[in-house]
Amino acid sequence: YALYVLPPGFVESSCRSRIFWMKLNKLLLQGKFFQLEINDPYAGPLLLDEKLASRCGYVLSEDVWGNPVFRASALGCHVTNEADELFSLTVNIKVSSFSSMRAAVTYTYPMYCSYSSWASREIVCEENYMEVSVKTNVPAVSNDYTVAWMSALPETQNVAYQLWQLMFVSPSGRKRITVSDAAKLGYSFNNTLSRVYLRAPYHSNESDFSVVSGVNMNMVTSTSMYRQRWLLLLIDTTVSCPVDGISFTDTTLTWTVPSIIPTLVVQESTFLSKNILMGVDGRVVVNPEEKNYLLEHNKTHIEITIPIGAEGGKLKSSISGGVYGVIYSIDLFLEHTWTDADWQTTKYTVVKSITTPFKPQIPTVINNTLPEERLFNVAFGHFLPDVSLVAIAIGNVPFTPREAQHHGFKIYETPFSNGMKEFILEVSFDDLYVLKEYVNRNETKYTLLVNYTISVGPEMTLYYHSAEVECLVADIELPEASGYCDEENLYLAIPLFGLHQYWNLYLGDKLLNRHVALINGYLAATNSTHLILQIPLFAVGVIYEEVSFQKIKARFDVALRKVRTMETLQMFSVSCSFNSPAFIICHPDGTIMISAQMKTVPAIDMSKTKLRDSSCKPREYNEGHAFFKFHVTTCGTSVRFEGDHIIYENEISYEKETLPGQSIPTITRDPDYRLTVLCYYRAKETLVLGAFASDPSTSPPFGSGTMVPRSNIAVHRRIRQALNVVSRVSKDESFMEFYEPNMAILKRPVEPVFLEVELKDESPDIELYLENCWVTRSLDFNSTPRWNITVDG
């Protein structure tokens, strides 16, 4: 072997009681493979494997920190022993970059140990072997002649001269074998200057199990026999070690070892416990309570209780079934010294590595956000130091920690005094990956969707955890509108901020957009801060709060509603009073109000105007105006259906004057003043507002009206004329046979009426146009009720 100088800090060793301890630094073995060889002073190096380790008193394991640990008994097979006081052992540490161990570097490391305070009997219960050593100058045979000892006596007659032999007693019977044969079974037996020792593996064929004070014990009952001349030496080399005794709660682990082990203490009445020590990682803990350890004992038990996470052990992160959790490991040993009548002193040492079961520990996400800073502050934890953040996704967009920092996110770790840590993430509310939703009246809900990817433990297992963090901030100011009016219009000035982003304007249940504004006759204009709506007095959507003679108090309402939920937040209103000489208003309850303006030359007496029902006179009037108010079911109002509209019609007229009749019947009419009034209502709709529209084709949702003047001489001087007009009703469409004048004619509603109207005047300047024709019950053609036959020609 080529020999190399050990790297500084690579190996640490000590002698603890009568056990060699050697620890290798895992940091110097990263990415490498290693093997241990035991240097036999006579045979050279031997590769350490499990079989050699358990037979010869060696242990190769890891401490809780992951560092390789090698332990060897001072009575190990290849230990050089000087007078049972000085012990030495040399190992070779082979390190290679390849699993095949080729091109390995070999470091030779000698260890030395001195130990002279041997007890009469010493028992070591290691991870992979049980060892008992006894002084050879102690009384050979117990004073208590038990059955086991008595049964061994006949066998002594066959013990070979000057040769050690072993006799095992088990449930299957007795077995006497030589030392060399015992070695083949995994045992190791030898004697030193003053001691005899036996080392046995756990669970051998010659072993047995028993339960002592609730703890399972593995024991090998054996007698070592030696005969020389007149001396027959029988030495009890029985050994018994606990194989369990570990229990756990959520917060502690407890290791229980029996105080008295019957197979080791034959005369229990003489048992006396002298000293109990505990240790961690091979070192005695003098004051366990200072580290929150609890060492208790009574006549039956010795108990060591360790808080999970206590100093000396190690918490390790782990993933099980996709769940994050922790396990806790600690290396303990117990040393119990007692005396009894058979043995002067027994030192009983148990070395135990304990690992708790996996304990789920679901990470928590804590929202420490301060809204006034407009910054998400999210804590993710708590974690052990063996956890690292490797990636984070914000709004489903993945980032490495470096990319996240570059984008503007802030990520850092916060350590705690107990060794735990948490990850802090800071994200601005205004970041483009933060979801924003307008809620309630004036709040924004900021939502941060985050998915953490962490690397767990030395295995670097990936674990994913998602969280949704919300924060409500009252950072939206509801707009306030201002209104004003001129002689013919109402105006609303509404701030542009948030419009269409957070809220929309609604006219009733209809979204008020540019198209609706256009067809309703509104004028919409914007400047840098406001939307200006100009609403004509008689436009769709105007509400008429008070209507009187030539005066209207009108209001226009616009609702501010949330874009998503349609919840109404504010009502913007403008209300003004107007002086209007002529108007028609069709209220949703069917009330019609008309301010009619006289446009005839010469002027007429407006007090003599009336509706179709001559009893329906103006409520108010003056020289040029008359004000009517009536319901659609009164005053001779007719109704008809056109498409999806109901149309109510009436007429304002002036009292007609007729010329005296001549020899033949004549009808005379002087169209002094005549105004047709129409109100349109949407069928199948609930009417909640009154409105006016000049064009019914716009199909407004509420009543709209129009007034149509029918005097074709409104701008000419009135000239009274007698018109010689004769009308007859024909019995059929041939117009050959007519009904007698003043004769009652019965017709069903669906039957046609064949009417003939003839102008007898021969003046070339006169033409006959038939505009309106109706039927009454009397000769007075102004009487009511009346039924229209033709309207407007």
Side-chain angles (χ1 to χ4, degrees), residues 17 27 135 143 154 176 185 193 243 299 352 363 381 520 535 541 554 573 606 647 651 677 784:
S17 186
L27 297 178
K135 284 186 178 180
N143 293 328
R176 181 166 58 85
L185 298 176
L193 182 65
V243 294
K299 292 182 179 181
K352 194 76 171 178
N520 284 356
I535 306 99
S573 295
M606 295 303 288
I647 303 175
E651 183 178 83
V677 177
T784 58

Side-chain angles (χ1 to χ4, degrees), residues 107-310:
Y107 304 103
T108 298
Y109 190 79
M111 293 182 288
Y112 303 94
C113 196
S114 62
Y115 182 71
S116 57
S117 57
W118 290 96
S120 301
R121 177 174 62 173
E122 294 204 2
I123 294 175
V124 176
C125 299
E126 257 287 7
E127 292 183 24
N128 59 342
Y129 67 85
M130 303 179 288
E131 182 183 271
V132 57
S133 72
V134 299
K135 284 186 178 180
T136 54
N137 59 354
V138 299
V141 179
S142 171
N143 293 328
D144 183 4
Y145 290 89
T146 63
V147 174
W149 279 100
M150 294 299 293
S151 64
L153 290 176
E155 298 292 335
T156 62
Q157 303 301 320
N158 301 319
V159 174
Y161 184 66
Q162 289 187 335
L163 184 67
W164 284 100
Q165 291 189 350
L166 301 174
M167 186 179 69
F168 295 100
V169 179
S170 66
S172 60
R174 295 190 303 274
K175 179 189 293 185
R176 181 166 58 85
I177 57 175
T178 63
V179 172
S180 59
D181 289 337
K184 296 176 183 177
L185 298 176
Y187 295 92
S188 180
F189 177 88
N190 209 338
N191 65 304
T192 66
L193 182 65
S194 61
R195 304 185 72 81
V196 170
Y197 67 86
L198 173 69
R199 198 160 34 246
Y202 287 94
H203 314 304
S204 65
N205 290 334
E206 293 73 35
S207 67
D208 192 15
F209 281 94
S210 65
V211 179
V212 179
S213 300
V215 179
N216 284 313
M217 307 292 291
N218 190 206
M219 61 182 179
V220 175
T221 304
S222 64
T223 302
S224 302
M225 300 176 291
Y226 183 81
R227 183 179 182 182
Q228 185 178 14
R229 299 189 63 159
W230 305 107
L231 173 66
L232 176 63
L233 188 63
L234 302 178
I235 299 177
D236 182 6
T237 48
T238 296
V239 63
S240 181
C241 289
V243 294
D244 54 19
I246 310 297
S247 60
F248 305 97
T249 68
D250 286 343
T251 57
T252 62
L253 63 87
T254 300
W255 179 28
T256 302
V257 177
S259 294
I260 301 175
I261 303 168
T263 54
L264 302 181
V265 182
V266 178
Q267 300 182 64
E268 290 188 20
S269 60
T270 65
F271 172 86
L272 181 61
S273 179
K274 302 295 287 184
N275 190 33
I276 299 175
L277 294 175
M278 69 163 289
V280 175
D281 199 23
R283 293 179 175 86
V284 173
V285 178
V286 179
N287 297 309
E289 63 278 0
E290 292 182 359
K291 298 182 180 295
N292 293 321
Y293 304 154
L294 185 60
L295 175 60
E296 298 176 303
H297 62 92
N298 55 31
K299 292 182 179 181
T300 60
H301 294 89
I302 301 171
E303 284 189 351
I304 297 175
T305 301
I306 307 291
I308 293 177

Side-chain angles (χ1 to χ4, degrees), residues 416-718:
F416 297 99
S417 58
N418 62 359
M420 304 292 279
K421 66 178 180 180
E422 64 183 6
F423 301 104
I424 306 297
L425 170 66
E426 293 183 358
V427 178
S428 169
F429 284 178
D430 302 313
D431 190 272
L432 62 93
Y433 296 117
V434 172
L435 303 180
K436 304 165 187 69
E437 181 185 0
Y438 171 54
V439 295
N440 303 325
R441 285 184 60 82
N442 63 336
E443 294 178 319
T444 303
K445 181 172 74 173
Y446 297 93
T447 303
L448 180 67
L449 300 178
V450 56
N451 196 317
Y452 297 92
T453 302
I454 58 175
S455 174
V456 177
E459 302 86 4
M460 294 190 293
T461 306
L462 294 182
Y463 172 77
Y464 306 93
H465 188 90
S466 59
E468 181 175 322
V469 183
E470 296 180 351
C471 187
L472 284 177
V473 182
D475 57 358
I476 294 179
E477 183 177 351
L478 289 180
E480 294 292 338
S482 59
Y484 55 93
C485 300
D486 61 18
E487 292 182 356
E488 297 179 350
N489 302 281
L490 302 94
Y491 295 87
L492 268 178
I494 302 168
L496 288 172
F497 170 76
L499 204 57
H500 310 308
Q501 178 185 1
Y502 301 133
W503 41 68
N504 282 318
L505 299 177
Y506 276 80
L507 181 62
D509 289 329
K510 183 177 291 186
L511 177 65
L512 182 55
N513 52 30
R514 289 191 176 275
H515 175 69
V516 171
L518 180 64
I519 63 174
N520 284 356
Y522 309 156
L523 181 62
T526 59
N527 57 27
S528 60
T529 59
H530 285 75
L531 166 69
I532 312 297
L533 280 178
Q534 175 185 308
I535 306 99
L537 173 60
F538 296 111
V540 174
V542 176
I543 302 168
Y544 305 100
E545 298 178 303
E546 296 179 20
V547 179
S548 62
F549 187 42
Q550 299 186 65
K551 289 190 178 181
I552 299 174
K553 184 179 180 182
R555 188 181 85 240
F556 183 74
D557 295 337
V558 171
L560 187 74
R561 293 187 180 180
K562 287 186 181 179
V563 170
R564 292 187 60 187
T565 65
M566 299 282 290
E567 176 189 351
T568 299
L569 301 172
Q570 299 252 80
M571 290 296 297
F572 298 144
S573 295
V574 55
S575 179
C576 296
S577 295
F578 295 85
N579 293 320
S580 180
F583 58 80
I584 176 172
I585 295 175
C586 306
H587 273 273
D589 63 358
T591 300
I592 300 175
M593 288 177 286
I594 305 164
S595 179
Q597 185 176 16
M598 185 274 294
K599 293 183 179 181
T600 61
V601 178
I604 62 172
D605 184 356
M606 295 303 288
S607 66
K608 294 183 179 180
T609 57
K610 62 182 179 60
L611 297 176
R612 284 176 178 168
D613 185 342
S614 57
S615 64
C616 293
K617 299 289 187 177
R619 296 284 185 98
E620 296 180 68
Y621 57 88
N622 61 19
E623 292 181 358
H625 298 83
F627 177 68
F628 292 88
K629 181 178 180 180
F630 61 97
H631 195 268
V632 294
T633 59
T634 63
C635 297
T637 306
S638 63
V639 60
R640 70 177 185 270
F641 292 87
E642 286 187 10
D644 59 351
H645 281 81
I646 303 174
I647 303 175
Y648 294 94
E649 180 182 333
N650 210 315
E651 183 178 83
I652 301 173
S653 62
Y654 180 69
E655 290 286 353
K656 304 295 189 301
E657 294 184 9
T658 59
L659 296 176
Q662 301 177 4
S663 58
I664 58 174
T666 62
I667 301 175
T668 62
R669 182 178 63 180
D670 187 1
D672 301 328
Y673 186 86
R674 191 160 164 233
L675 191 65
T676 300
V677 177
L678 300 172
C679 269
Y680 298 80
Y681 289 98
R682 269 279 184 92
K684 300 180 182 179
E685 283 199 13
T686 302
L687 306 179
V688 294
L689 293 175
F692 168 88
S694 59
D695 183 6
S697 65
T698 57
S699 300
F702 310 107
S704 60
T706 184
M707 295 184 289
V708 184
R710 289 306 180 205
S711 176
N712 57 359
I713 56 171
V715 294
H716 303 286
R717 176 172 293 276
R718 294 165 52 92

